Amino acid sequence: VLRNLQVDLYIAETSEAGRKKCLELGIREDHITDDYRNFLDRVDAVDVVTPAPSHYAICKEAFQKGKDVFMEKPVAETSEQAEELVALATKGNHILQVGFIFRFDPASDYIRDCMTSGELGPVQSMTSSFSGFKRPRSDGGVTISDSIHFIDLFNYYIGKSPRKVLARCDDLLKRGMDDMSWIMLDYDGIPALVEANYFSPEKKRLLTIVGERATLVCDFSSSQDKIKIHKNQHLLDNDTWKTVSGEVMTREIPPSEPLFLELQDFLNCVATRSAPRADARAGLESLKIVEAAVKSHHEGRAIML
C-alpha cells in the first residue's frame, strides 16, 4: 500500500526471508535493513507494525529523532505509556496516528452521518462482534488486540468515551491472556456491547445500532450490501406493544481500501501538519477502556471512568 502511495520506502525487517521478499518486490537493497535505527536519520516518518510491547520504545526513539509516527494499535501497552506519548507528541509537534482502520472505512462515514441526521431516531443501543476461528496473538489478549477496534469505533461515533465499563474477559486456552471477552460500555445511558473471541466458526466484523425509528446493521467484512437499514419499530397500542416491520434498505458503499485511505491520511497529516482522524488521544482513550475492562473482570464490578 505504501508503495502505491508513491513514497520513498525504507524497510526494517528482522527476518532474512522477509528481507528477501522485499527484494523480490522491487525494494532497493540499500533501502532494506534488519535494524530500523539504521534509517531513522534518513526518513521523515515511521510506520510501526511491530508487536505491541515494542511500540512505546520505538515511538519514543522516533520522536527523539524528530519523526512523525503511524502506530498500529494499541498505541502502547499501558495507559501510562500512552499518556507519555501523547505529551511527547504535543510538546514536539509530532504527528502520532493510531491504526484504527475502521474509522477509515467509508461505511463509518455513512454510519456517523446516519446517526447525526436522526435517520435512526434516538440511539437506544449498540452491539458489535469481532470474532472468528483464528490463531491467538502472542503480544496481547483478544481485548487489547481485537475488542479495541470497536471500542474506538463507538467512541468515534458517539464523540466521547463511556462513563462506565463492565466486562468479562476469559482465558479459555489458559495461556495467560484473554481469548474471549464481553465488554459493556455506558455512554450516558446508551449501552454498547463489544464481543470478541478466537473461537466462532465464522468471521464476524458486525455492528448493529438500534434506533427508535430504525436499526442499522453493518457487516465490515462484506464487500457487498455492507449496510442495511431495517425500518422496524415497536409501537404501543392500547397498552399492548406491537412490532411493525418496515422496509429493508440496502446502502451500497463505494469500494475502497481502508488501509490505503488510512495511510494516505497519515501522509497528508505529515505534509500539512494537520491532526489525524485517529490521533494519539484516541489511542489513549481506547487503552483506558481496555484496562477498565480487564479490571472489571478481575474485580467483578463495574468500573467508572
Side-chain angles (χ1 to χ4, degrees), residues 129-143:
S129 179
F130 193 118
S131 57
F133 187 65
K134 63 177 183 176
R135 177 182 59 83
R137 292 181 60 131
S138 59
D139 61 342
V142 72
T143 300

Side-chain angles (χ1 to χ4, degrees), residues 106 253-257:
I253 303 300
S256 64
E257 172 53 67

Side-chain angles (χ1 to χ4, degrees), residues 2-294:
L2 284 168
R3 291 173 68 211
N4 289 337
L5 285 165
Q6 302 299 309
V7 299
D8 188 16
L9 185 61
Y10 290 77
I11 296 179
E13 168 57 58
T14 55
S15 76
E16 184 176 353
R19 293 193 297 275
K20 182 180 178 181
K21 184 177 181 181
C22 292
L23 288 170
E24 293 171 353
L25 290 172
I27 305 298
R28 288 167 40 185
E29 188 172 4
D30 63 355
H31 280 46
I32 305 170
T33 184
D34 61 355
D35 186 346
Y36 67 91
R37 296 176 180 87
N38 294 332
F39 290 154
L40 275 183
D41 289 327
R42 300 171 66 179
V43 301
D44 301 303
V46 181
D47 181 3
V48 183
V49 287
T50 61
S54 64
H55 288 184
Y56 169 74
I58 293 176
C59 190
K60 281 190 66 176
E61 197 167 357
F63 282 170
Q64 288 168 0
K65 291 286 188 175
K67 312 304 176 182
D68 298 314
V69 176
F70 178 95
M71 180 68 72
E72 277 299 345
K73 54 77 198 167
V75 66
E77 277 197 293
T78 68
S79 59
E80 288 79 10
Q81 291 177 345
E83 289 270 16
E84 183 178 348
L85 294 181
V86 169
L88 289 172
T90 301
K91 181 178 179 180
N93 192 31
H94 305 299
I95 301 297
L96 177 53
Q97 181 170 324
V98 186
F100 290 132
I101 195 167
F102 285 171
R103 289 195 181 208
F104 294 88
D105 192 310
S108 283
D109 294 330
Y110 179 85
I111 292 169
R112 284 190 89 195
D113 291 343
C114 196
M115 292 173 68
T116 55
S117 69
E119 182 176 352
L120 305 178
V123 174
Q124 296 176 321
S125 70
M126 303 183 292
T127 59
S128 64
S129 179
F130 193 118
S131 57
F133 187 65
K134 63 177 183 176
R135 177 182 59 83
R137 292 181 60 131
S138 59
D139 61 342
V142 72
T143 300
I144 198 170
S145 300
D146 293 347
S147 301
I148 197 170
H149 276 296
F150 277 120
I151 289 171
D152 172 72
L153 205 55
F154 286 148
N155 284 355
Y156 181 57
Y157 291 159
I158 298 296
K160 61 182 177 182
S161 291
R163 63 181 180 87
K164 185 166 63 175
V165 180
L166 179 65
R168 176 162 179 166
C169 309
D170 285 330
D171 177 13
L172 302 185
L173 296 176
K174 309 301 181 188
R175 62 192 188 98
M177 287 180 270
D178 60 304
D179 45 41
M180 178 175 282
S181 72
W182 298 265
I183 304 169
M184 181 68 77
L185 309 172
D186 184 344
Y187 290 92
D188 292 329
I190 300 175
L193 176 67
V194 180
E195 173 198 12
N197 67 73
Y198 296 135
F199 304 99
S200 296
E202 296 180 355
K203 176 182 177 180
K204 291 184 180 179
R205 305 291 184 267
L206 195 63
L207 171 74
T208 302
I209 300 176
V210 177
E212 194 174 275
R213 292 196 293 271
T215 296
L216 182 149
V217 179
C218 178
D219 183 354
F220 282 98
S221 63
S222 176
S223 58
Q224 292 183 328
D225 299 337
K226 183 172 284 190
I227 290 180
K228 292 182 179 180
I229 297 178
H230 301 254
K231 292 290 188 176
N232 296 341
Q233 290 181 277
H234 287 85
L235 298 177
L236 186 59
D237 182 16
N238 294 325
D239 297 326
T240 301
W241 283 100
K242 299 193 307 183
T243 57
V244 179
S245 298
E247 63 178 324
V248 180
M249 299 178 294
T250 300
R251 293 290 184 257
E252 290 299 332
I253 303 300
S256 64
E257 172 53 67
L259 181 58
F260 181 92
L261 297 175
E262 182 179 45
L263 291 173
Q264 186 180 54
D265 181 66
F266 174 63
L267 296 177
N268 178 66
C269 290
V270 170
T272 64
R273 312 314 297 168
S274 54
R277 183 183 303 188
D279 61 11
R281 188 154 294 279
L284 169 61
E285 291 303 313
S286 64
L287 202 51
K288 285 181 178 179
I289 296 167
V290 166
E291 290 177 342
V294 174

